[in-house]
Amino acid sequence: MLRDQLSVGSDAELAGYRARSHLHDGRVVAWTGSYDVPVAVDGEVERTVPAALARRFGADGFWERWTRAECVAKLTGRGVVDLVDLMAAEVPGTGVRLSTLRLPGGIVVSVGRLGDAPNS
């Protein structure tokens, strides 16, 4: 199960994992599963969407879409400027398989895997 392959803790506790995301409150989310294919993780603590971003992208499902876009950007080498294009629910042609889930404490996490390996 995907949830079992993620850990939330301090930067020091999770320093040994390659796929990590730093949350705004200082915690880190790390992928602790297999690295048989390239993996990216992005997490955000769900909170009010900043007004400028909500106007541009909408507030409904924003953090899910944002974390998914971040994973695609990390795995494909696209920059932050490209996040505007990546805010779609699915980004065809990237080869990135995405899964998004909620962890306790209001953490929205997306995991992106490049290639054919299953996400679980």
Side-chain angles (χ1 to χ4, degrees), residues 70-112:
E70 286 275 6
C71 284
V72 172
K74 290 175 182 180
L75 287 170
T76 62
R78 295 179 72 174
V80 173
V81 173
D82 292 329
L83 288 179
V84 172
D85 296 333
L86 298 176
M87 286 294 286
E90 294 295 330
V91 184
T94 63
V96 177
R97 296 180 55 161
L98 294 162
S99 298
T100 303
L101 63 146
R102 293 178 178 277
L103 299 178
I107 301 171
V108 177
V109 178
S110 288
V111 175

Side-chain angles (χ1 to χ4, degrees), residues 30-70:
W31 171 256
T32 61
S34 170
Y35 286 93
D36 55 339
V37 296
V39 177
V41 169
D42 192 68
E44 295 286 345
V45 176
E46 189 162 34
R47 57 196 182 280
T48 302
V49 178
L53 292 174
R55 281 192 302 275
R56 188 165 191 177
F57 301 113
D60 189 41
F62 176 85
W63 295 115
E64 290 85 352
R65 291 181 287 123
W66 183 264
T67 59
R68 293 168 76 85
E70 286 275 6

Side-chain angles (χ1 to χ4, degrees), residues 5-9 14-15 17-21 28-33 35 41:
Q5 297 172 329
L6 293 165
S7 289
V8 178
L14 300 174
Y17 295 100
R18 291 181 294 187
R20 302 182 315 147
S21 179
V28 172
V29 178
W31 171 256
T32 61
Y35 286 93
V41 169

